[in-house]
Amino acid sequence: MMDNRQIMTRVEEILASMTLEEKAAQMVQVPYAFAGREESLRWAKMGAGSFLHVLGDDAREIQRAAIEQSRLGIPVIFGIDAIHGHGLNDHATIFPTQLAAACSWNTEVARIMGEVTAREVATDGLHWTFSPVLCLGRDTRWGRVNETFGEDPYLAGEMGAAIVRGYQGEDMSDDEHILACAKHYIGYGEAVGARDSCDTEMTYRKLREIFLPPFKKAVDAGVGSIMTAYGSIDGTPFTIDPVTMKDILRGELGFDGFVVTDWDNVNSLVRRQHVCETTEEACVLAANAGNDMIMTSTEFYQAVLSAVRDGQVKEETLDDAVRHILTVKLRMNLFEKPEKTGRPGCFGCEEHLQHAKDAADKSLVLLGNNGVLPLREAKKIAVIGPNADDVRAQYGDWTYFTHPKLNLEHEPVRPYVTVKEGMEAACAARGMTCAYHRGCSVLDGEYEDIAGAVETARDADAIVLVVGDVIAQVGEEKDRAVLELSGRQMALFDAMRALGVPLVTVLVASKPLAVGRAAAQADAFICAFNGGMFGGEAVAKAVFGEINPCGRLAISFPRASGQVPVYYNQLPGWHCQQGKGYCDLPEGPLYAFGEGMGYSAFAYSDLTFDRETLMAGVKVTNMGERTGTETVQVYFNDVVSSVLTPVKQLIAFKQVELAPGESAVVEFALSREDFSLINRKEERVTEPGGFELMIGHSSREQDLLKTSFRL
Ligand code: BGC
């Protein structure tokens, strides 16, 4: 492998040999599925820098054309949305979504997801995943909340950095690692009304405080590419915003990879956002703002050539962009080895499947249990509900069922285990009967037989009811105004509840829905989100106590749609002090950030904090009868600050596994920066004064021990 200096020298040599046309082509990313084979081959021969959404042999053909038939033979870099596994390939290992995985609060889970995904993507002859999403899922009406690592900048940053390390390995140059892409830079999830890609009510101060930290962590972890966001800030689309693109990303974060626009983001400046009259104008703005690669808007090629010729874009601007792209290609060793070989035979291999199972187990969050779980004495279990046996709903967005073209008809490819199948296998192993009935559909009017479900469940000893959402309610342009359970799912719940049989509600959904009494009036409530291939098996294991659930919510659950956003780190107000919310709802979320239980409870005591060294410690004791994993969470509050600061903000967490009765002292080495804020001058500072440190089981007041101190 070349060192950095050698790479820089080589980049300059290549650049010096490139024509203006070749530089412009290097900046173009061609959408294979839309352009088609012939057109794509033509682009490859012209020296296009990248293609997206092309798999296996089609990609290999493009690469051969680029290397053998373009003048300079610069290798193409292939990008793909491998979002929770290389799911667009129907034989790949499919993991829980980012949101589900975030509930593991386990960075090793994220790192391994990245590593396995990278290996499978590389084996498919591809180099680059458009992942991770580092947007925050704060307004949960947004259709893409499933793609986030939840609502909190600290947790999202930790998980994001870990998955980047998994994708890229040491330096992306070996056969089994690929390029990661932190997206969508920035503030995409914060659109007004959570309507996908609309304007963002944001200031640069707020952006720096809440939305930038995960990207900073990804850059520090070496992420090699960044994708811009569809939204806008104070009237300027992010894609052409010089402050975020240049000053912050390159200047302050020191990002040295390349920037790619999002899908047709250049044309959207004309067609959707109406800030440019012509594509040419949009291309000028996009190039000058510092976009290195232009996704799908292939008109950029001609437009930027004329813009350079008539002086609107400097050739040096193209040089910079191409420099960034070539640097990454050289770091990845693509000039020596344009095709990564991956690890033949690794698709869905035992090792990978085991990782998917482990991730699903650790992502599961048990949120309520009056003692009914784990199930022991039962002869017959009824598994009921629309999402009990729907692998599409279990997978959620970004698999072969959904993209690049909606493909719900695709036959499901084994292995996978739905909740119904997991429960059937678990019941069979225990000599129990398991009966299933769908009851109703998630969407209105497709299917309903609540009476049939009642008949199936009537003589059961326990009911596992699986509700949630379906793909039609998830993803880009699928924001929801109503988060309550859709269709006849509540009627199905009520019918089950009326039977008086112990009732476990399971949520298989893309995000927190306003589940209301379907959770509160059940005997137990499990949140599975989209658990991937083995999401259903994980539920069955939890139900029977084969695993001791240890997931914690990475996102808060609202009591009703109108309560959204309900994230925990809100700013204090006057009338909304102390979590006071709406006059027609109880205070606070239904389930809070950080919340989750298992089959053992943990006691916290002996909180210590050394003001000199900033070392904090707490004693945690497993009060239960089973070994369990606790996630110890550290929050702080800046008591008086020059700008409003959150009522509490997560700054650290650690997991500890404890045997029954066992105690451990969990320590945290904190720094002054952990207690910082962004002041009115947009500087990150730690202001002197009083602080509160809170350590405990979740973000809920009653779960936290507190100490006060001054800095
Ligand atoms: C999405 C990106 C995605 C890209 C390519 C866009 O519409 O916003 O997240 O990576 O398409 O599929």
Side-chain angles (χ1 to χ4, degrees):
M1 248 319 272
M2 290 190 262
D3 62 27
N4 254 342
R5 216 176 37 83
Q6 290 166 316
I7 288 177
M8 280 164 65
T9 313
R10 184 83 187 98
V11 166
E12 295 311 319
E13 280 167 16
I14 302 170
L15 205 51
S17 67
M18 290 173 86
T19 62
L20 182 63
E21 286 74 11
E22 284 162 341
K23 291 173 191 171
Q26 195 57 217
M27 293 174 71
V28 171
Q29 184 179 54
V30 182
Y32 184 89
F34 286 81
R37 176 172 172 271
E38 292 308 318
E39 179 68 359
S40 293
L41 283 168
R42 193 179 67 81
W43 273 108
K45 291 172 202 164
M46 281 163 61
S50 177
F51 289 75
L52 81 161
H53 294 167
V54 49
L55 302 176
D57 288 340
D58 294 335
R60 292 186 186 101
E61 185 185 23
I62 294 289
Q63 190 66 286
R64 269 198 308 279
I67 289 169
E68 292 162 15
Q69 296 179 55
S70 75
R71 192 181 71 92
L72 293 172
I74 299 174
V76 158
I77 183 162
F78 293 109
I80 190 81
D81 288 284
I83 302 299
H84 49 121
H86 180 30
L88 300 190
N89 181 313
D90 54 13
H91 287 88
T93 306
I94 293 169
F95 282 90
T97 50
Q98 269 192 215
L99 181 62
C103 294
S104 72
W105 288 57
N106 186 325
T107 52
E108 192 54 10
V109 164
R111 194 192 61 78
I112 290 173
M113 268 173 69
E115 193 169 82
V116 168
T117 303
R119 193 175 292 135
E120 295 191 0
V121 167
T123 308
D124 224 353
L126 312 179
H127 315 110
W128 177 23
T129 176
F130 304 131
S131 170
V133 168
L134 297 181
C135 311
L136 301 178
R138 297 187 357 141
D139 190 328
T140 47
R141 293 172 293 178
W142 188 34
R144 303 188 72 174
V145 166
N146 69 99
E147 295 180 58
T148 71
F149 281 123
E151 72 189 28
D152 179 66
Y154 181 81
L155 180 60
E158 292 297 299
M159 298 297 280
I163 202 168
V164 165
R165 292 197 182 93
Y167 287 133
Q168 297 194 167
E170 281 291 301
D171 61 5
M172 309 184 281
S173 66
D174 66 276
D175 260 336
E176 296 190 6
H177 289 95
I178 60 171
L179 173 65
C181 182
K183 71 184 189 187
H184 310 77
Y185 184 76
I186 190 173
Y188 179 26
E190 207 66 2
V192 178
R195 284 179 309 124
D196 195 28
S197 86
C198 286
D199 183 43
T200 313
E201 274 178 354
M202 178 104 75
T203 63
Y204 288 103
R205 199 199 67 77
K206 182 172 171 187
L207 184 143
R208 286 173 184 283
E209 180 144 306
I210 301 164
F211 303 95
L212 193 60
F215 284 94
K216 175 169 177 5
K217 280 189 183 155
V219 170
D220 291 346
V223 74
S225 73
I226 300 260
M227 187 188 294
T228 62
Y230 284 143
S232 54
I233 178 166
D234 200 15
T236 303
F238 282 114
T239 302
I240 52 168
D241 177 44
V243 180
T244 44
M245 295 280 284
K246 287 197 169 154
D247 304 353
I248 299 182
L249 184 61
R250 298 275 176 197
E252 294 173 30
L253 301 195
F255 174 66
D256 68 351
F258 70 81
V259 174
V260 62
T261 71
D262 200 351
W263 186 277
D264 220 15
N265 236 353
V266 168
N267 278 318
S268 76
L269 298 172
V270 183
R271 295 180 196 153
R272 295 176 187 232
Q273 290 165 312
H274 308 290
V275 291
C276 297
E277 208 166 322
T278 61
T279 304
E280 290 67 31
E281 207 185 318
C283 291
V284 169
L285 288 182
N288 288 337
N291 293 283
D292 302 313
M293 189 178 281
I294 310 297
M295 185 188 285
T296 71
S297 311
T298 48
E299 301 90 330
F300 176 83
Y301 175 76
Q302 284 302 345
V304 86
L305 287 178
S306 25
V308 173
R309 288 186 192 119
D310 62 25
Q312 294 191 72
V313 175
K314 296 203 182 85
E315 183 159 356
E316 294 85 77
T317 303
L318 270 60
D319 289 346
D320 274 342
V322 174
R323 203 171 266 129
H324 294 143
I325 295 168
L326 293 180
T327 302
V328 171
K329 288 184 174 181
L330 281 158
R331 282 185 189 152
M332 295 183 76
N333 203 26
L334 297 189
F335 284 79
E336 297 301 314
K337 217 160 176 258
E339 186 183 341
K340 288 183 179 275
T341 44
R343 191 190 290 175
C346 76
F347 273 64
C349 66
E350 231 0 88
E351 182 195 334
H352 288 188
L353 297 183
Q354 198 48 53
H355 286 310
K357 285 185 191 184
D358 190 55
D361 290 352
K362 289 181 171 148
S363 303
L364 213 64
V365 192
L366 177 62
L367 287 166
N369 181 17
N370 64 10
V372 67
L373 294 182
L375 285 183
R376 288 180 204 92
E377 308 299 313
K379 287 201 185 69
K380 176 182 167 182
I381 312 269
V383 176
I384 307 290
N387 276 0
D389 195 31
D390 183 343
V391 64
R392 292 170 177 83
Q394 183 171 310
Y395 280 6
D397 206 3
W398 293 111
T399 73
Y400 55 91
F401 294 128
T402 59
H403 283 270
K405 293 182 185 145
L406 199 67
N407 192 12
L408 293 168
E409 299 312 314
H410 195 302
E411 277 301 304
V413 177
R414 296 281 176 182
Y416 63 83
V417 182
T418 63
V419 176
K420 167 187 172 267
E421 293 167 344
M423 288 297 299
E424 279 169 352
C427 286
R430 289 166 176 78
M432 299 177 184
T433 312
C434 185
Y436 162 73
H437 200 290
R438 187 175 171 209
C440 68
S441 50
V442 165
L443 300 176
D444 251 331
E446 283 178 0
Y447 167 83
E448 187 180 334
D449 182 10
I450 294 180
V454 166
E455 274 324 299
T456 303
R458 187 183 298 286
D459 62 343
D461 302 304
I463 300 170
V464 173
L465 173 69
V466 190
V467 294
D469 60 18
V470 288
I471 286 171
Q473 298 164 304
V474 182
E476 288 178 53
E477 301 177 46
K478 311 246 189 64
D479 316 309
R480 289 181 66 178
V482 180
L483 292 171
E484 279 70 21
L485 290 176
S486 55
R488 298 280 291 153
Q489 295 186 92
M490 283 313 296
L492 181 62
F493 171 80
D494 289 335
M496 291 301 118
R497 185 67 293 181
L499 289 173
V501 174
L503 175 58
V504 178
T505 302
V506 177
L507 183 72
V508 169
S510 64
K511 60 185 175 188
L513 299 178
V515 283
R517 64 180 189 281
Q521 294 178 8
D523 296 292
F525 177 58
I526 297 174
C527 169
F529 288 135
N530 303 112
M533 282 177 154
F534 301 105
E537 189 173 284
V539 169
K541 285 193 219 162
V543 164
F544 285 107
E546 250 179 70
I547 54 169
N548 189 356
C550 65
R552 301 288 181 260
L553 285 182
I555 193 163
S556 308
F557 269 65
R559 293 178 185 276
S561 303
Q563 199 190 20
V564 165
V566 69
Y567 52 82
Y568 81 96
N569 45 359
Q570 307 242 336
L571 301 179
W574 184 1
H575 289 162
C576 57
Q577 208 61 267
Q578 306 302 335
K580 188 158 172 289
Y582 297 89
C583 66
D584 51 0
L585 275 182
E587 282 180 18
L590 183 62
Y591 297 109
F593 178 78
E595 197 171 336
M597 60 203 319
Y599 298 134
S600 6
F602 297 90
Y604 282 75
S605 62
D606 306 318
L607 171 61
T608 58
F609 182 63
D610 183 324
R611 256 168 279 168
E612 299 305 316
T613 61
L614 304 186
M615 278 298 291
V618 73
K619 186 171 163 194
V620 187
T621 307
N622 182 346
M623 309 297 285
E625 284 156 18
R626 293 188 56 162
T627 296
T629 299
E630 172 66 337
T631 299
V632 183
Q633 303 166 30
V634 183
Y635 299 86
F636 91 107
N637 171 242
D638 189 340
V639 180
V640 179
S641 43
S642 63
V643 291
L644 299 187
T645 47
V647 289
K648 58 175 79 78
Q649 174 57 52
L650 184 75
I651 47 172
F653 63 89
K654 264 187 195 170
Q655 288 187 329
V656 53
E657 192 187 69
L658 295 171
E662 192 186 355
S663 298
V665 173
V666 181
E667 291 189 310
F668 298 89
L670 302 171
S671 69
R672 278 185 77 90
E673 172 142 5
D674 291 329
F675 303 104
S676 63
L677 53 76
I678 303 286
N679 68 15
R680 288 166 57 158
K681 292 189 206 146
E682 292 180 32
E683 302 153 339
R684 188 165 277 285
V685 292
T686 305
E687 294 182 341
F691 292 87
E692 263 184 342
L693 188 73
M694 297 162 258
I695 307 191
H697 170 75
S698 87
S699 68
R700 284 203 191 269
E701 285 296 301
Q702 65 266 30
D703 284 339
L704 293 166
L705 297 179
K706 281 188 190 178
T707 181
S708 299
F709 65 97
R710 293 186 76 80
L711 280 181

